[in-house]
């Protein structure tokens, strides 16, 4: 039995030799919004940001697994600058409102995210790759509410769970550096409000080249 384990281990090492690598990477985003109400009125401004590092292990040429985690403040950190359709235009308006509200403590959105994933490369041509990520995400979101006119001061804690498949493309710019772009998702989300009966469930497909999540990884 011990010999069999040793043989299988040696076979496994032989298969992965030359392919297995650890990598680190992630994505970063920042927006600043300003609303001008005309002459005689003070301008309103605010900002959002996201820091989403990831670490992973490239098991073979086609298979990798890792985990993405990080922190997001504000709605605009999720959004897009493109306004070619009504959805993107609505995101731009909501992003601006959320930025301004956050800095004025009206609605302050914060999110702590943990998302392990399995990545499989289905096509490769030179430096170009096309892959799919299978993702399980857990998000702890806080909506800070301070409605001064009503004297309110209350936070809403939301737990969001997601299961999704995210297509993406990669470009190997060197032996150790790869640029990534994830294009939409197919999946399921469930959001529930702590100490409340409110919940939201969503299932859908959204593959949109105008709303890409860009990032990079470095192998070592």
């Amino acid at each position: 039995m011990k010999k069999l384990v040793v043989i299988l281990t040696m076979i496994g090492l032989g298969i992965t030799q030359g392919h297995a690598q650890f990598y680190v990477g992630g994505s970063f985003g920042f927006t600043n919004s300003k609303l001008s109400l005309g002459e005689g009125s003070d301008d309103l401004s605010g900002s959002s940001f996201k820091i989403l590092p990831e670490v992973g292990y490239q098991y073979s040429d086609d298979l990798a697994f890792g985990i993405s985690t990080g922190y997001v403040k504000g709605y605009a950190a999720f959004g897009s600058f493109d306004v070619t359709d009504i959805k993107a235009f609505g995101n731009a308006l909501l992003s601006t409102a959320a930025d301004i509200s956050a800095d004025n403590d009206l609605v302050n959105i914060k999110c702590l995210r943990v998302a392990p994933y399995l990545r499989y490369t289905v096509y490769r041509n030179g430096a170009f790759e096309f892959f799919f990520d299978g993702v399980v995400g857990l998000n702890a979101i806080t909506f800070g509410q301070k409605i001064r006119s009503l004297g309110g001061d209350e936070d809403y804690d939301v737990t969001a769970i997601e299961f999704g498949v995210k297509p993406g493309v990669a470009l190997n710019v060197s032996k150790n550096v790869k640029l990534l772009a994830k294009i939409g998702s197919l999946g399921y989300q469930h959001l529930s409000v702590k100490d409340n009966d409110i919940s939201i469930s969503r299932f859908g497909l959204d593959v949109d080249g105008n709303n890409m999540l860009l990032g990079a990884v470095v192998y070592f």
Side-chain angles (χ1 to χ4, degrees), residues 162 164-167 182-187 189 204-208:
E162 62 185 78
V165 177
K166 299 178 182 293
K182 298 175 186 178
I183 313 168
S185 63
L186 166 66
Q189 295 175 327
L205 169 67
D206 183 12
V207 180
D208 186 354

Side-chain angles (χ1 to χ4, degrees), residues 70-113:
Y71 183 76
V72 179
K73 175 184 178 295
Y75 179 86
F78 295 100
S80 169
F81 285 101
D82 190 270
V83 290
T84 56
D85 58 40
I86 190 64
K87 177 184 174 183
F89 182 66
N91 282 340
L93 295 178
L94 288 173
S95 297
T96 301
D99 279 353
I100 294 170
S101 298
D103 280 19
N104 287 276
D105 291 330
L106 181 59
V107 180
N108 195 354
I109 305 173
K110 300 176 182 178
C111 174
L112 182 64
R113 174 176 174 78

Side-chain angles (χ1 to χ4, degrees), residues 1-14:
M1 183 64 183
K2 290 182 179 179
K3 290 183 179 180
L4 179 60
V5 172
V6 172
I7 292 172
L8 292 176
T9 302
M10 293 178 66
I11 292 175
L13 291 174

Side-chain angles (χ1 to χ4, degrees), residues 121-202:
T121 301
V122 296
Y123 176 77
R124 183 179 289 105
N125 187 354
F128 174 83
E129 298 176 356
F130 182 76
F131 64 86
F132 286 97
D133 277 1
V135 182
V136 178
L138 176 62
N139 305 277
I141 308 170
T142 299
F143 292 84
Q145 302 273 346
K146 292 188 178 180
I147 312 299
R148 293 183 179 84
S149 61
L150 301 178
D153 188 350
E154 183 178 3
D155 288 347
Y156 293 92
D157 295 323
V158 177
T159 300
I161 301 173
E162 62 185 78
F163 305 90
V165 177
K166 299 178 182 293
V169 294
L171 179 66
N172 293 280
V173 296
S174 72
K175 181 180 178 180
N176 298 103
V177 179
K178 181 184 293 186
L179 302 180
L180 305 174
K182 298 175 186 178
I183 313 168
S185 63
L186 166 66
Y188 172 82
Q189 295 175 327
H190 180 79
L191 296 85
S192 58
V193 181
K194 184 179 179 181
D195 300 327
N196 201 301
D197 293 332
I198 299 174
S199 65
I200 300 174
S201 296
R202 304 175 72 230

